[in-house]
Amino acid sequence: MEKLYSNFRGYLKLNIPNIRWILIFGIIFATLFYLLQVKGYGKQFKSRVASILCWGILSLNCSFIYIMTLSGRKTGETHRIDLNPFSSYYVAFAEGNMEILLQILVNIAMYIPLGFLLPCCFRLFEKYRYVILGTFCGSLVIEFIQLIFKLGLFEVDDVINNTLGAVIGMVIYMIFKRGKNEHNKQKIS
């Protein structure tokens, strides 16, 4: 566990310089989401604070995913294709590779907020198959960009982990929504 924690601290130190870019791209995503909201694709919130908070966190999460997966790598630095599903799980657990385990956990964790916030912010994503399809396709696009521009590894496991993270976030949203609906029913009764 100490080795995993040590790797995580090192990972954070490497990515602190990206905070500026995360904020810049967050503003770009926020502008895009605002335009989608104006066009009627987004949900209306009862509270302005809730609206700003939800859209802001979604923008920063999308920016974080973009920056963490596509920037900070030199073109051609590492270029490999791994089409074997769950091969990174084997390396992490059977071989005890803590760095790979951390990468798996980060890939899952990055998409949990996305799986929660997409149905919060967009009516289309209340149909959960669209959350799964959208995050799967988005993750696949990122992997293809990495492949085309030689920005790292094209791994099927990354797509699986990202989609799994979104599903976890979506389940949390479903539980949250069910609890909110039950609370509202009790208020009416």
Side-chain angles (χ1 to χ4, degrees):
M1 191 65 172
E2 177 61 34
K3 192 172 180 181
L4 182 63
Y5 179 69
S6 175
N7 280 340
F8 180 70
R9 279 193 334 236
Y11 189 77
L12 284 179
K13 284 180 187 175
L14 288 174
N15 292 302
I16 296 238
N18 289 332
I19 290 174
R20 172 183 60 217
W21 292 109
I22 290 170
L23 294 174
I24 290 169
F25 279 99
I27 292 168
I28 293 169
F29 280 112
T31 303
L32 173 67
F33 294 147
Y34 175 76
L35 294 173
L36 290 171
Q37 176 79 7
V38 168
K39 290 288 186 181
Y41 294 106
K43 287 184 175 180
Q44 298 296 325
F45 292 89
K46 292 179 183 177
S47 154
R48 185 171 180 86
V49 173
S51 176
I52 291 169
L53 189 63
C54 193
W55 289 100
I57 294 171
L58 178 62
S59 299
L60 288 174
N61 183 241
C62 290
S63 176
F64 180 78
I65 290 169
Y66 174 78
I67 295 299
M68 297 304 290
T69 56
L70 295 177
S71 76
R73 298 176 178 169
K74 295 176 184 165
T75 303
E77 187 176 271
T78 309
H79 180 63
R80 194 182 75 185
I81 299 173
D82 184 358
L83 299 176
N84 297 320
F86 305 107
S87 63
S88 63
Y89 286 81
Y90 176 79
V91 172
F93 294 109
E95 296 177 11
N97 188 323
M98 290 294 125
E99 185 177 338
I100 299 297
L101 178 60
L102 179 62
Q103 288 176 9
I104 291 169
L105 295 173
V106 166
N107 277 326
I108 292 170
M110 280 192 309
Y111 277 74
I112 291 173
L114 195 63
F116 180 84
L117 292 168
L118 283 174
C120 276
C121 294
F122 293 103
R123 286 190 294 274
L124 172 70
F125 289 106
E126 282 189 325
K127 295 179 181 166
Y128 303 117
R129 66 179 178 264
Y130 290 124
V131 173
I132 295 168
L133 183 63
T135 54
F136 175 82
C137 290
S139 182
L140 199 57
V141 165
I142 288 171
E143 292 300 313
F144 274 113
I145 290 172
Q146 288 177 339
L147 176 66
I148 291 167
F149 293 103
K150 298 180 181 178
L151 293 171
L153 308 177
F154 178 97
E155 293 181 280
V156 170
D157 284 358
D158 286 352
V159 176
I160 293 168
N161 294 332
N162 297 156
T163 306
L164 175 61
V167 168
I168 292 168
M170 181 183 65
V171 168
I172 293 169
Y173 173 79
M174 291 166 55
I175 293 167
F176 176 77
K177 186 176 177 183
R178 184 177 302 144
K180 186 178 175 185
N181 288 342
E182 288 175 11
H183 177 69
N184 288 340
K185 285 179 186 176
Q186 288 177 355
K187 275 180 135 177
I188 295 171
S189 301

